[in-house]
Amino acid sequence: MDVSHLLQDLNDAQRAAVTLEGGHALILAGAGSGKTRVLIHRLAWLIQVNHVSPLGILAVTFTNKAAGEMRSRAGTLLQMSPRPLWIGTFHGIAHRLLRMHWKEARLPESFQILDSEDQQRLLRRIIREEGLDDTHWPAKQAQWFINARKDEGERPRHIEHLDHPATATWAHIYQRYEDYCNRGGLVDFAEILLRAHELWLEQPAVLDHYRRRLQYLLIDEFQDTNAIQYAWLRMLAGDTGSMFVVGDDDQSIYGWRGARVENVQSFVRDFPAVATIRLEQNYRSTGTILAAANGVIANNQGRMGKKLWTDGPDGTPINLYSAFNEQDEARFVVEQIRQWLDQGRRADEVAILYRTTAQSRLFEEYLLRAGIAYRVYGGQRFFERVEVKDALAYLRLVLNPNDDAALERVINKPARAIGDKTVSILRLQAREANVSLWQAAQACIRQKLIPPRASAAVQEFIDLASGMQERVQNWTLGNQMQAVIDESKLATHYGKEPRERMETRIENLRELVNAADAFILPNEDADAGLTELQSFLSHASLEAGETQGESWDDCVQLMTLHSAKGLEFPVVFMAGMEDGLFPHQRSVEESGGRLEEERRLCYVGMTRARKQLCLSYAETRRMHGAESMSRPSRFIDEIPADLLQEIRPRLAANRPYVSARPAAAAKPPTFKNQEWPFKLGQRVLHHKFGEGTVLAFEGSGEHTRVQINFAKAGSKWLVLAYAKLEAR
Ligand code: ATP
Ligand code: MG
């Protein structure tokens, strides 16, 4: 068989990696050096040259989108259906294992996935039930505690330092939470990984089976694996499996979620005779973008150290826009995109990246106004919308009435006179008898533990849910979805909301029926023995958001910096480059390398760009309901100045870029925010020049000067004390 296509378009180092003989390998290389490409070619090489069965390979990556791409690229290279290949995310693969081995994993067959919001709701309830004050014991913190423990492979019984009162309380909440989940057959995201690890630990026969079957393990984005993922991989590999690990320590951005870049060192230690290969040529970005990204990351300490070069053109300078405020920033970015499209380019070549999901809203607004199609990844995810989650909760009850989280969500939605009091009686009963809420509800009616009126309402709910369970069993998924929405009267309920909101909600419910209708049971789920309904519900929670983005329509891509990992775009905008936003305030205040992690995130963002990179920051920004002044991100300062080009199209003259570093600053303003009589961007009136907008301040006290862009007279610097400005 001619396999030359497997080595075409690879450089020497890449070829060496793809064709490696046996053993373990670590490919440690910078962004855009072809790591993912090498991994896919390696997979094809194993099958076509080494005659490894496609069933003997496991390839793991970080996002569903990356997994989808890997799957299709492997299929094309191999000219075969990628169906038998196990390619997926850690969560996806672990979930599949649990579905196939639910019994061995001590789970009910119809176990359900609890998403982050459900998890918090359940925890809030537990905390209250325990008589704890939830201002001191916030559900969110409990969630962090539990997930972090699970990521380390710890159950409540493993927790140490119980003599410390706070730890003891958190551990107790963890225990209670675990009881609930076990009773209802619920697993949260961290639990999926932990269970899959315990499956290996507790079921040697299962582990042995997979060890013999999956001999070749290929891992992308290895720097972001956490303790439990690495432990899981290590056990699967055992003494016989062959590990091919690909990563970049400079792109480790999930430390805050338990990822351990040290796994790279552990890997070299734990597996004998690892061949380490470095790739140094970058094929993605222009020389300028690469030099700028290298300039930023060079400020981190203790890097493993890599050289990265390109023989491509230098390209255009990196644009830097300083906006008056966040509105101006969005306007500018969208205007630039408009210009790009006017050149006949595609919208999906453009990505807007930001630090926090809330930042997407304004860009959406301006893109909508400009009539430019866009897609937001993550953020306001379809499957996370209230009405969608309500409908899904009913469907979950159809599948498993003991799903406490689902029941609690909809027992009084639409309102059917089941008040908090009644629900708390049900909870108490459930807790005392150690049964699900569904069972407790029936017991409460039987034993007349709730007043007659409430009892009738609860009975009505039980009849409704069990009626659905019986009727819709054998219907198609789309019809099941429709029936659940109709019979639960959710549509009528949302129909009563104010018009605009009502319309979107009803549209979303319709869209949900469409999604159910269009749902095709994925082969891997069919192989794992899942029904359509089980598979659909798992997808809704496990792959929320990302499934929407799977189809590459021609539209501008909006996403957080975190979700851009591994992707590339010809044009990238990085917005909100302000100290406090990016780097995030928390990371500046906390120790423990958080700032360095933010810097890596900046490096990830910059290296997504192939041809053009544009950074922007707003001088004032409305955030959490308050306006604040900000300084340009310190990361901008770390870019060699000759690579940057400032744009301020609205002004007659370009204002020099004021460095964020105090030492290098031209003249940092010395007054505090509250002493400023006007805000940046504010409209003011001058007795001679007329109306204008405040652009900048300089100096302090009586020397304060203010720059104003007057509608008629143009831009002027005035001494504030004499200017006699009036606010408009
Ligand atoms: P990241 O660290 O961001 O995940 P990566 O190291 O995985 O990046 P790839 O995404 O595999 O890099 O490759 C970056 C780009 O360079 C892709 O467009 C890829 O097709 C291209 N590329 C990689 N190797 C070569 C090569 N030898 N010749 C031409 N193009 C290449
Ligand atoms: Mg990659």
Side-chain angles (χ1 to χ4, degrees), residues 304-433:
M304 290 174 192
K306 287 180 298 280
K307 281 186 255 141
L308 206 54
W309 57 274
T310 172
D311 66 1
D314 279 350
T316 52
I318 289 160
N319 287 338
L320 177 64
Y321 182 70
S322 92
F324 320 137
N325 55 24
E326 74 281 4
Q327 299 271 349
D328 183 34
E329 179 182 55
R331 180 200 57 77
F332 168 77
V333 169
V334 172
E335 204 173 277
Q336 297 284 305
I337 295 174
R338 165 59 55 214
Q339 284 174 21
W340 173 261
L341 297 177
D342 287 346
Q343 293 167 29
R345 307 303 301 250
R346 290 174 60 87
D348 62 7
E349 294 178 321
V350 180
I352 307 177
L353 310 181
Y354 36 79
R355 180 65 181 81
T356 59
T357 47
Q359 281 166 265
S360 77
R361 196 187 57 81
L362 262 187
F363 292 107
E364 291 187 63
E365 221 175 281
Y366 277 80
L367 286 164
L368 266 174
R369 250 188 257 169
I372 298 173
Y374 67 87
R375 170 167 282 122
V376 186
Y377 287 78
Q380 188 27 297
R381 295 169 168 181
F382 181 71
F383 286 111
E384 280 171 14
R385 290 175 188 157
V386 181
E387 60 280 11
V388 170
K389 289 192 71 171
D390 288 345
L392 288 175
Y394 274 104
L395 206 55
R396 274 162 58 180
L397 283 179
V398 165
L399 193 64
N400 170 20
N402 295 325
D403 185 335
D404 278 5
L407 183 134
E408 196 156 341
R409 187 173 180 102
V410 292
I411 187 164
N412 198 34
K413 208 167 191 182
R416 47 176 75 85
I418 304 179
D420 284 348
K421 226 170 164 180
T422 307
V423 178
S424 52
I425 298 173
L426 302 187
R427 279 188 206 128
L428 195 70
Q429 172 69 20
R431 208 179 133 191
E432 275 175 3

Side-chain angles (χ1 to χ4, degrees), residues 252 347 410 561 709:
S252 145
V410 292
L561 288 152
N709 191 19

Side-chain angles (χ1 to χ4, degrees), residues 17-47:
V18 168
T19 59
L20 216 64
E21 291 288 330
H24 309 293
L26 168 66
I27 317 297
L28 191 64
S33 58
K35 294 183 298 296
T36 303
R37 177 187 275 223
V38 161
L39 189 138
I40 295 167
H41 282 245
R42 170 72 177 176
L43 187 152
W45 181 265
L46 287 171
I47 294 173

Side-chain angles (χ1 to χ4, degrees), residues 428-674:
L428 195 70
Q429 172 69 20
R431 208 179 133 191
E432 275 175 3
N434 196 19
V435 292
S436 70
L437 283 171
W438 175 259
Q439 291 159 326
Q442 284 161 328
C444 283
I445 295 171
R446 261 198 322 272
Q447 298 166 26
K448 302 202 169 39
L449 297 175
I450 37 179
R453 227 176 83 105
S455 177
V458 173
Q459 186 62 52
E460 198 185 314
F461 176 74
I462 291 176
D463 293 344
L464 170 72
S466 30
M468 284 181 190
Q469 284 157 18
E470 279 165 28
R471 257 192 317 284
V472 307
Q473 282 296 339
N474 301 315
W475 293 6
T476 65
L477 192 57
N479 288 344
Q480 286 180 330
M481 194 79 250
Q482 186 68 58
V484 158
I485 293 172
D486 292 344
E487 292 182 24
S488 66
K489 302 206 170 52
L490 274 181
T492 331
H493 166 70
Y494 282 116
K496 290 183 198 133
E497 293 207 339
R499 202 171 136 247
E500 224 165 272
R501 208 184 313 156
M502 180 264 281
E503 279 173 4
T504 10
R505 294 219 199 268
I506 301 290
E507 247 168 47
N508 285 337
L509 288 176
R510 235 177 260 139
E511 185 57 35
L512 186 60
V513 176
N514 290 345
D517 254 335
F519 186 75
I520 298 169
L521 182 65
N523 292 331
E524 60 267 28
D525 282 2
D527 294 346
L530 262 69
T531 63
E532 252 191 350
L533 179 55
Q534 281 174 327
S535 171
F536 181 74
L537 287 172
S538 313
H539 273 253
S541 21
L542 202 59
E543 294 177 24
E546 287 191 53
T547 40
Q548 279 190 86
E550 213 85 63
S551 58
W552 278 101
D553 293 342
D554 184 23
C555 53
V556 173
Q557 316 281 306
L558 271 68
M559 64 190 86
T560 61
L561 288 152
H562 279 98
S563 35
K565 196 163 76 147
L567 307 178
E568 59 186 25
F569 310 90
V571 182
V572 168
F573 291 90
M574 280 171 75
M577 297 289 295
E578 294 134 40
D579 254 25
L581 183 55
F582 189 41
H584 204 279
Q585 192 60 36
R586 262 200 318 268
S587 72
V588 180
E589 287 161 2
E590 280 173 24
S591 54
R594 287 287 184 261
L595 181 63
E596 294 214 337
E597 179 149 307
E598 292 284 296
R599 189 175 282 114
R600 291 193 291 271
L601 189 57
C602 184
Y603 175 77
V604 167
M606 295 173 76
T607 51
R608 298 311 96 201
R610 292 176 51 198
K611 296 193 165 70
Q612 279 181 29
L613 176 61
C614 180
L615 313 176
S616 56
Y617 62 91
E619 288 168 346
T620 58
R621 179 177 295 273
R622 183 159 261 288
M623 238 180 359
H624 315 303
E627 196 135 320
S628 61
M629 307 280 307
S630 36
R631 301 198 313 194
S633 167
R634 64 193 70 191
F635 300 144
I636 297 178
D637 256 342
E638 295 172 358
I639 299 173
D642 56 327
L643 305 175
L644 283 173
Q645 173 182 299
E646 240 214 306
I647 351 177
R648 283 212 73 154
R650 275 198 165 175
L651 292 185
N654 276 4
R655 196 169 57 94
Y657 156 64
V658 180
S659 169
R661 235 182 252 144
K667 203 186 243 177
T670 50
F671 36 69
K672 294 195 191 83
N673 191 8
Q674 60 267 33

